[in-house]
Amino acid sequence: MEKAQELMLDRLRSTGHLLLVHWIVDARVLPLTGDEVHDAFLALVPTRLKHVKSLTEPEYRLDLFEKI
């Protein structure tokens, strides 16, 4: 996960936006849940990303970030 985060952030321009959208229903066969992925990016706030918007519905989660 950390390697994927680094690759995405290295390619994202300053003040560029990163939109994460994940299915959050029970997905036991996946290595990470959608919530775990989003929480990993939230951990980069406020040093590398600004959290702009969040939306959680029964089946999916959306988080918008801006690179700082």
Side-chain angles (χ1 to χ4, degrees), residues 2-24:
E2 290 174 12
K3 180 66 173 174
Q5 286 176 310
E6 286 300 319
L7 290 170
M8 284 187 261
L9 292 176
D10 287 347
R11 286 159 179 80
L12 190 61
R13 293 181 184 177
S14 180
T15 71
H17 290 91
L18 174 66
L19 178 64
L20 299 178
V21 181
H22 283 88
W23 193 257
I24 55 171

Side-chain angles (χ1 to χ4, degrees), residues 11-56:
R11 286 159 179 80
L12 190 61
R13 293 181 184 177
S14 180
T15 71
H17 290 91
L18 174 66
L19 178 64
L20 299 178
V21 181
H22 283 88
W23 193 257
I24 55 171
V25 295
D26 186 23
R28 295 180 195 164
V29 298
L30 301 175
L32 295 171
T33 67
D35 285 326
E36 290 171 324
V37 172
H38 288 245
D39 291 344
F41 280 88
L42 282 169
L44 300 175
V45 173
T47 57
R48 308 227 19 224
L49 292 171
K50 174 184 172 186
H51 190 233
V52 178
K53 183 153 180 96
S54 183
L55 173 68
T56 302

